[in-house]
Amino acid sequence: MNMTDEQKAAAEAFRAGDHLVLQAGAGAGKTTTLDMLARTTQRRGRYFAYNRTIAQDARSRFPSTVICKTAHALAYAAVGHRYTRRLNAPRRPAWQTGQALGITKAIRIGERSLSQRTLSNATLRTVARFCHTADEAITRHHVPHLRGLDDCALHTQLADHIVPFARKAWADLQHPDDGAVRFDHDHYLKIWALTNPKIDADFLLLDEAQDTNPVVEQIFLTQRSHAQLVMVGDSAQAIYHWRGAKDVMTGFDGTHLTLSQSFRFGPHLAHEANRWLRLADAPIRLTGTTSVPTELGPVIRPDAVLCRTNVGAMAQVMDLLTAGHRVGLVGGGDSLRALALAARDLKEGRRTTHPELVLFPSWGELQDYATHDPAGRDLQPLVDLVDTHGTDAILSAVAQLAPEQQATVTVSTAHKAKGREWAHVKIADDFSPPRDSGQHDDTGRAVPAPIDDSEARLAYVAVTRTRQRLDLGGLSWIHSHPQGAP
């Protein structure tokens, strides 16, 4: 493969020993470029892969001088193997773990009653959130926010109760042989990170750097004193902030270069992508490949339908099944099934343990919260879907899902579609335009609110998944929005 001018510039900076940041747009060949860099030297390198599948693929591509592993694999070799007995321990309900930690009774905060089961779940989630950070100790800000306790003062009361139990759980996890808390892979990664490890390599390559969680960032950046650091990613695809991920690229002290030539799609789609890149205030603009004739227009038989939310995906699955399609769902149907089961519990008068709905004692309270509380507006589509179709119909639809390779159409959220591509893509209608700002223009028409940059990044991910034809569908409103000019 011939190098582009941008790839040549990256190779020159790499050979010069610069710490390097490559902003690589959608389809711009970022992993291919890292492979090219690695082949320009005989030095020993390490490639940090986002997950095991990517690591396995990278091993078949990179030269033998580069070891391709996930951060978890490195951590397991260093310390994780000591915890093998605990890793293989049987699963146990969170309430039993909480009981062993001393969580034995319910409490009341504000107008909400928190059961022993809810408190146990919140404690274990606090430990999990801590493990994704670079922090040295568990504090209040690791405690998850629960719907129904949105007020800052109420969350502080929750945190004051949870933090001591979470610290006790973390102390329990330090014992290699036995303990009350089920040990998982993020635990030994965090334990390893706290030792300030030194990785034996001359250079490190970090892929998908825009979605690195702080614990991996900490491990990577502390190698700077002895190894050349190269990170590649797309800041405009940083869409996992809600999960603790952090874009480590924009503030990195090093040489910043770009890969703006997309090999996935043509100029028309690059033009549409740039519309969203401008709205996201991204540090890159794309050019398409002229030999790839990507079109924008209606798609009657899409290969993939991309949705904003899990609830939107659930609605698309039901519509497509009704129309007679074999439907696959990226990531499987477990999250949709869990939501439907939680809704059924509430409708039948039972509390649910689903983390999104755990504090609601009944379906009526959830309906009221979704309708009248601004913090619950994103639950309104779930309420509408359940009230329209019923939970049994939703569960039946999830059970009919086909494996992706056997499906005629794939449904995905935009989050789960990242890194994927299809020939013909349709954007679902749950990408809602911004609400009215309350102001009016000179003609008296309502002026929509500004477009949130996080929503612009997610839209950018969605529109750049296609190779041949894109149906903008639920994002078509951008063409009439005041900020929508390309």
Side-chain angles (χ1 to χ4, degrees), residues 18-342:
D18 296 358
H19 296 302
L20 187 58
V21 174
L22 293 177
Q23 285 282 356
K30 60 184 187 306
T31 307
T32 299
T33 302
L34 289 181
D35 177 34
M36 289 177 174
L37 299 186
R39 293 182 183 278
T40 66
T41 180
Q42 290 300 309
R43 294 180 297 152
R44 297 170 303 117
R46 294 266 192 173
Y47 170 83
F48 273 60
Y50 187 71
N51 58 40
R52 186 185 303 177
T53 301
I54 294 173
Q56 290 172 342
D57 177 63
R59 287 188 201 110
S60 67
R61 301 175 61 172
F62 280 79
S64 59
T65 51
V66 178
I67 297 174
C68 303
K69 288 189 175 182
T70 63
H72 284 88
L74 293 174
Y76 183 84
V79 300
H81 64 277
R82 303 173 195 163
Y83 296 86
T84 302
R85 284 183 59 187
R86 292 193 67 172
L87 278 168
N88 295 327
R91 293 184 179 275
R92 63 189 304 192
W95 68 265
Q96 289 184 2
T97 302
Q99 199 168 52
L101 294 171
I103 304 173
T104 57
K105 60 182 180 180
I107 65 169
R108 191 167 187 84
I109 297 178
E111 299 179 358
R112 301 291 180 183
S113 176
L114 281 71
S115 68
Q116 184 256 358
R117 189 185 301 265
T118 298
L119 296 170
S120 299
N121 283 331
T123 297
L124 296 181
R125 287 175 64 197
T126 298
V127 174
R129 286 161 60 94
F130 164 67
C131 287
H132 295 156
T133 71
D135 301 331
E136 294 186 358
I138 294 173
T139 61
R140 286 181 183 177
H141 77 270
H142 300 118
V143 178
H145 287 261
L146 301 182
R147 288 187 183 274
L149 294 181
D150 307 290
D151 181 80
C152 183
L154 297 179
H155 180 262
T156 297
Q157 291 182 49
L158 173 67
D160 288 343
H161 187 81
I162 292 293
V163 166
F165 292 115
R167 289 174 176 168
K168 188 174 181 180
W170 182 245
D172 174 276
L173 289 165
Q174 308 310 303
H175 303 294
D177 296 321
D178 196 18
V181 183
R182 190 171 190 269
F183 198 93
D184 70 29
H185 299 281
D186 283 347
H187 295 146
Y188 66 70
L189 176 63
K190 180 62 176 176
I191 290 170
W192 182 53
L194 289 171
T195 68
N196 295 315
K198 180 178 179 180
I199 299 173
D200 183 24
D202 299 314
F203 64 90
L204 300 179
L205 308 174
L206 177 63
D207 207 347
E208 298 288 353
Q210 78 282 347
D211 282 326
T212 302
N213 67 28
V215 68
V216 175
E217 174 198 9
Q218 177 192 38
I219 295 166
F220 182 77
L221 294 182
T222 54
Q223 312 307 312
R224 187 184 184 108
S225 61
H226 71 276
Q228 182 184 11
L229 304 184
V230 179
M231 58 176 67
V232 64
D234 185 352
S235 291
Q237 292 191 53
I239 58 174
Y240 287 113
H241 290 164
W242 54 277
R243 210 166 65 181
K246 180 181 177 184
D247 176 17
V248 303
M249 302 176 66
T250 50
F252 181 72
D253 181 16
T255 299
H256 287 246
L257 298 172
T258 59
L259 300 174
S260 62
Q261 172 75 52
S262 179
F263 302 100
R264 179 181 300 158
F265 45 74
H268 292 306
L269 191 57
H271 181 77
E272 189 63 33
N274 288 338
R275 187 192 310 271
W276 297 102
L277 287 170
R278 181 181 60 79
L279 291 169
D281 195 24
I284 193 172
R285 298 292 184 269
L286 294 178
T287 56
T289 298
T290 55
S291 59
V292 181
T294 313
E295 300 175 333
L296 278 78
V299 173
I300 305 302
R301 297 182 63 85
D303 299 300
V305 179
L306 304 187
C307 308
R308 172 66 182 83
T309 64
N310 280 322
V311 177
M314 190 184 292
Q316 286 294 324
V317 165
M318 296 183 71
D319 289 347
L320 289 164
L321 286 171
T322 301
H325 296 280
R326 288 198 311 276
V327 184
L329 182 68
V330 173
D334 288 349
S335 60
L336 301 189
R337 185 172 182 274
L339 267 174
L341 289 173

Side-chain angles (χ1 to χ4, degrees), residues 412-423:
S412 177
T413 63
H415 284 94
K416 291 179 181 175
K418 196 160 78 72
R420 305 284 298 272
E421 59 181 62
W422 294 272

Side-chain angles (χ1 to χ4, degrees), residues 331-366:
D334 288 349
S335 60
L336 301 189
R337 185 172 182 274
L339 267 174
L341 289 173
R344 186 169 72 180
D345 283 343
L346 290 176
K347 286 181 73 69
E348 294 179 356
R350 297 188 298 271
R351 300 292 290 252
T352 176
T353 59
H354 194 288
E356 283 290 289
L357 311 178
V358 68
L359 291 186
F360 298 99
S362 68
W363 183 250
E365 281 219 18
L366 176 60

